[in-house]
Structure formats: structure tokens, C-alpha cells
Amino acid sequence: QVQLVESGGGLLQAGGSLRFSCAASGLTFSINATGWFRQAPGKAREFVAAISRSGGSTVYADSVKGRFTISRDNTKNTVYLQMNSLKPEDTAVYYCATKKTYYTSRYLYTRGQDYDYWGQGTQVTVSS
């Protein structure tokens, strides 16, 4: 069965950094595009970042450009999200997701509805 296990959440002050990891099993990770989404209390789930299956193409939400970096290591079946210069507005539950694709290795997805599998969610709380 497919599992996406997230780690790396926490509570910290504004300006700090965190790195999330999402380890996948039960699927061929190298043919899956991956992404990160987040959901704050009382708000809809929003796109954060996405990366193509080869790691050759990335896209970021405007709210995190220049601060967050998505990457992946296909030898470890893991996708990462490095978060720097964190703001109180970044407080949310963060989810990783995967989407199998036979399109070009640079193809990626920014809509949550396109993804097949989701991690359990990890809380990030940023104080001012």
C-alpha cells in the first residue's frame, strides 16, 4: 500500500527555518511528480510548491517565493521543503502529495485535485 510519511514540523519564532521531509513507499517514486500544500485554520487548502518527477522543474506560490525551496532525492524516495525566513502567516498544517505521470519528466501539478496520495499533515506554528 502507498504511504507518505512526513516529518520536520515544529514551533518557532519569526525569521527561523525548518525543513520538512516526506518519505514515500509502495509506489515508483521516480515517475511521480510531487508537491506541498498547506491549510491554515478557517482557510482553504492552498498550493505551496511543486517539483517534476526528475527534479528539473519547480513552481512556487507567490507567498513563499525566495523563502521556500522544494527538492527531491529519488534514490531515497523522499521530497523535501526547506523553509527560511518564516512568518506568522506561514502557520498551517503542511501536506506532501504525489501524482503518477507518464508525461515529460519536467511536468508538474499545482492543483490539489490532481494528486493521488497525501501525507498525514504536519503542524508549523510561527510566533511573532
Side-chain angles (χ1 to χ4, degrees), residues 4 6 20-24 29 32-38 45-53 57-61 69-72 78-81 94-100 107-112 114-119:
L4 302 179
E6 301 177 30
F20 281 175
S21 297
C22 177
F29 188 72
N32 278 258
T34 59
W36 289 93
F37 295 77
R38 67 187 182 187
R45 180 180 61 191
E46 66 174 342
F47 168 76
V48 175
I51 190 167
S52 60
R53 67 187 194 184
S57 182
T58 59
V59 172
Y60 298 90
T69 302
I70 187 171
S71 62
R72 64 188 292 162
T78 301
V79 60
Y80 305 94
L81 184 67
Y94 285 71
Y95 301 88
C96 66
T98 66
K99 168 64 177 178
K100 184 171 69 176
Y107 205 86
L108 48 71
Y109 302 85
T110 61
R111 301 186 306 173
D114 289 334
Y115 283 87
D116 299 320
Y117 299 102
W118 294 82

Side-chain angles (χ1 to χ4, degrees), residues 39-128:
Q39 187 165 23
K43 299 182 66 177
R45 180 180 61 191
E46 66 174 342
F47 168 76
V48 175
I51 190 167
S52 60
R53 67 187 194 184
S54 69
S57 182
T58 59
V59 172
Y60 298 90
D62 289 342
S63 59
V64 306
K65 284 181 180 178
R67 300 188 298 118
F68 290 12
T69 302
I70 187 171
S71 62
R72 64 188 292 162
D73 185 343
N74 288 352
T75 68
K76 298 181 179 179
N77 287 358
T78 301
V79 60
Y80 305 94
L81 184 67
Q82 177 67 46
M83 301 177 289
N84 298 328
S85 301
L86 283 162
K87 305 174 180 179
E89 302 94 286
D90 296 317
T91 296
V93 176
Y94 285 71
Y95 301 88
C96 66
T98 66
K99 168 64 177 178
K100 184 171 69 176
T101 178
Y102 291 108
Y103 295 130
T104 175
S105 61
R106 288 185 172 271
Y107 205 86
L108 48 71
Y109 302 85
T110 61
R111 301 186 306 173
Q113 65 195 76
D114 289 334
Y115 283 87
D116 299 320
Y117 299 102
W118 294 82
Q120 80 278 9
T122 304
Q123 178 72 45
V124 172
T125 301
V126 184
S127 62
S128 59

